[in-house]
Amino acid sequence: MIEELQHRIEQLRAQMRPLEPDGGAREALGHGALSHALAYLDQVPDAPSNRPWGEVFAHRLDPEFPEEGRDPAAVLDYIATCVDRPGFATTSPRFMAYIPGGGLFHSALGDLLAAVSNKYSGFASASPGAVRLENATTAWLAGVIGYPEGAAGTLTSGGSLANLTAIVAARDARDSDGGGAVYTTRFAHHCVDKALHIAGRGRAPRRQIATDARYRMSVEALEEALERDRAEGIRPWLVVASAGTIDSGAVDPLADIAHLCRRHGVWLHVDGAYGGLFALCPEGRETLTGIELADSVALDPHKTLFLPYGTGAVLVRNGRHLLESFSASADYIRPLGESEVGPSPADLSPELTRHFRALRLWLPLQMAGVAAFRAAQAEKLSLARYFHARLQEMDGFDAGPPPDLSVVAFRFRPQSGDPDAFNERLLRHLVEEGRVMLSGTRIDGRFTLRCAILSFRTHLEHVDDALEALARGVARVQERA
Ligand SMILES: *Cc1c(COP(=O)(O)O)cnc(C)c1O
């Protein structure tokens, strides 16, 4: 019996060998993957910012999930043709749609190292070095925002989960029995609705607060709404303000809103997924004055610190609230709580086992230095102002309000015909041309174009490219009309 088992075990061990490549095989696999990545990056500067979908099916792997492993080169080829090429090139310097970020190479190396050592970053006891680094990174983010000692935070998969985490903390701290009212503008990101729904507050009384001509929350309108609710016996619970709306990059008057919220005992959450981290550079810091007074802030290092997708962050001014909502213990986990490296990430977030996310943020800050990030952000803010100024000089464009941050929301005003249809055709032309990628939105029913400048790779010549593509596009759409 035992001998039979031993024989079977040896057989299985031989069969599973492809999962344990030896040193030489690891080196070959590693070189193959690194060459692939470097070749990809070499073509980024000149490649289109958008490519046809048909390329997804340029090759097929048959069967897709083979019993025996494939030649690694064939697998990388498949990825190059059918994954790397088709669709949006979010790494392109000419990608200015949605909210770009670019994807820092240093972060990719951080991911590789984190995955190779596979440190367990959920608990301080399992990996004190990794947890210290996570806590140092969230403390650094809290410092960027201007939070005092006592703040806590955690790295999430993105901004949506950061907003959700904050809203759960706000619920537990200030709306445990429900019934409290929520205040946003019509420009709040849809993930706020999702978060309220998931947090069991989807039916909370909602007030849509009016905005000024630059799409920022009106403090007077907010004050009226808060007072009206109180007069009617409805308890104001949560204000969600924006540090950079998705539509136009507008930053609400955060300091005034924060003072109002304090007076009324309302939790102020700032959705800074796009704009909050501009607080790192002096120009952005000024626009964001007051963000440090918010009870919680959602951030997205995969936008404004240029990381590859997969890293958001939530910060709570009084860190106790985050711990109260998310710390948990179980018998199979050693007693938790504070340690000399700080709290364990698993006590500050709904997650238990997680990717060691901090390394992809910490590593580029070490290797490139903070000053480079600060300069890149300031460059993007200036590029947006440059784009806006140049657009004002171009015939027929309504450049829209001056950008608070790095998104410009603008329209072409055709001399005749439906302006919405014209701008939609203009955008479609740009997307099909594939040189410069912009995006569109509807603001108060009007189709509006957006140029979002945030990739670390986007520089002056690329913004000039965008202006030229727009001029070319207008001529083409007019020709076809
Ligand atoms: C991007 C964004 C979100 C959502 O963040 P994800 O990282 O996409 O989940 C929320 N709010 C704002 C303002 C954003 O820009």
Side-chain angles (χ1 to χ4, degrees):
M1 159 79 174
I2 287 183
E3 249 171 57
E4 220 171 275
L5 265 176
Q6 280 175 329
H7 178 67
R8 178 71 185 135
I9 289 166
E10 287 308 322
Q11 266 183 334
L12 290 170
R13 180 183 183 151
Q15 287 167 23
M16 62 74 68
R17 192 152 298 142
L19 297 182
E20 283 186 290
D22 63 19
R26 288 199 294 270
E27 196 167 344
L29 286 172
H31 278 304
L34 185 62
S35 311
H36 175 102
L38 295 177
Y40 175 83
L41 290 174
D42 284 345
Q43 55 85 52
V44 158
D46 302 312
S49 60
N50 183 36
R51 297 185 66 101
W53 284 41
E55 293 179 342
V56 171
F57 303 108
H59 288 324
R60 275 176 206 275
L61 297 171
D62 190 24
E64 182 140 12
F65 302 98
E67 277 299 311
E68 305 294 326
R70 290 196 155 85
D71 171 14
V75 179
L76 292 173
D77 265 358
Y78 175 84
I79 294 172
T81 311
C82 303
V83 181
D84 290 347
R85 285 161 54 100
F88 304 161
T90 51
T91 46
S92 167
R94 282 169 274 97
F95 187 81
M96 304 175 208
Y98 313 103
I99 304 284
L104 288 173
F105 183 60
H106 306 81
S107 291
L109 298 178
D111 278 358
L112 175 69
L113 299 181
V116 166
S117 69
N118 201 29
K119 283 297 186 185
Y120 194 93
S121 62
F123 286 111
S125 50
S127 187
V131 169
R132 192 205 67 77
L133 202 144
E134 291 258 357
N135 286 331
T137 304
T138 48
W140 180 77
L141 291 171
V144 169
I145 292 307
Y147 266 174
E149 202 66 21
T154 190
L155 299 177
T156 64
S157 57
S160 299
L161 270 286
N163 278 297
L164 172 63
T165 307
I167 283 172
V168 168
R171 178 198 67 193
D172 297 348
R174 302 275 175 83
D175 194 47
S176 49
D177 295 330
V182 180
Y183 307 78
T184 62
T185 72
R186 64 195 183 288
F187 298 110
H189 193 277
H190 70 269
C191 77
V192 171
D193 294 320
K194 262 202 223 181
L196 287 166
H197 170 71
I198 299 169
R201 293 295 181 272
R203 300 215 175 131
R206 285 289 290 272
R207 312 288 176 240
Q208 200 179 80
I209 307 302
T211 55
D212 66 13
R214 293 174 69 169
Y215 310 125
R216 302 155 166 172
M217 187 184 281
S218 154
V219 180
E220 293 73 36
L222 176 61
E223 185 161 23
E224 271 171 35
L226 292 168
E227 280 170 1
R228 197 177 322 120
D229 276 336
R230 300 194 108 178
E232 290 175 11
I234 297 169
R235 183 176 41 82
W237 161 41
L238 173 68
V239 171
V240 180
S242 296
T245 61
I246 240 349
D247 289 289
S248 68
V251 178
D252 291 333
L254 302 175
D256 291 348
I257 293 173
H259 294 309
L260 196 55
C261 286
R262 287 208 177 160
R263 234 176 38 237
H264 285 266
V266 179
W267 183 289
L268 171 61
H269 172 64
V270 171
D271 180 1
Y274 155 57
L277 283 166
F278 274 112
L280 181 60
C281 72
E283 298 84 340
R285 175 72 240 175
E286 201 173 314
T287 308
L288 294 164
T289 299
I291 193 169
E292 72 284 358
L293 302 174
D295 294 288
S296 55
V297 179
L299 303 168
D300 246 348
H302 67 203
K303 290 174 178 165
T304 315
L305 292 175
F306 322 117
L307 262 56
Y309 298 127
T311 304
V314 58
L315 301 171
V316 176
R317 197 167 200 279
N318 179 347
R320 188 172 51 82
H321 292 304
L322 201 55
L323 213 59
E324 280 173 4
S325 287
F326 294 106
S327 77
S329 58
D331 291 341
Y332 51 86
I333 292 164
R334 267 179 11 94
L336 312 166
E338 295 288 319
S339 73
E340 46 190 328
V341 300
S344 288
D347 281 333
L348 299 170
S349 115
E351 293 178 299
L352 178 57
T353 305
R354 60 212 276 290
H355 179 67
F356 173 23
R357 290 192 184 108
L359 199 54
R360 67 205 321 265
L361 175 49
W362 185 88
L363 198 73
L365 290 167
Q366 301 301 317
M367 290 183 169
V370 178
F373 283 85
R374 200 177 284 124
Q377 289 186 345
E379 181 199 22
K380 305 316 153 196
L381 295 175
S382 298
L383 285 172
R385 264 178 257 140
Y386 169 82
F387 178 85
H388 184 258
R390 288 281 313 271
L391 209 56
Q392 283 178 308
E393 292 176 349
M394 280 166 66
D395 270 352
F397 279 96
D398 168 3
D404 280 346
L405 295 171
S406 72
V407 175
V408 180
F410 64 100
R411 271 159 67 89
F412 187 76
R413 278 179 310 213
Q415 300 213 315
S416 61
D418 175 7
D420 288 337
F422 189 98
N423 283 283
E424 284 190 54
R425 279 200 292 274
L426 176 55
L427 180 62
R428 207 171 319 128
H429 170 79
L430 292 176
V431 171
E432 279 164 16
E433 189 185 62
R435 174 111 184 121
V436 175
M437 185 78 188
L438 303 182
S439 58
T441 185
R442 279 192 180 268
I443 298 185
D444 298 330
R446 289 182 308 176
F447 189 81
T448 304
L449 299 173
R450 296 169 69 260
C451 177
I453 300 171
L454 197 57
S455 169
F456 64 94
R457 295 188 180 94
T458 300
H459 304 296
L460 191 58
E461 68 267 29
H462 307 114
V463 174
D464 284 336
D465 265 353
L467 292 160
E468 280 163 28
L470 280 167
R472 221 169 31 239
V474 165
R476 187 58 59 86
V477 174
Q478 280 171 338
E479 254 166 52
R480 282 198 212 140

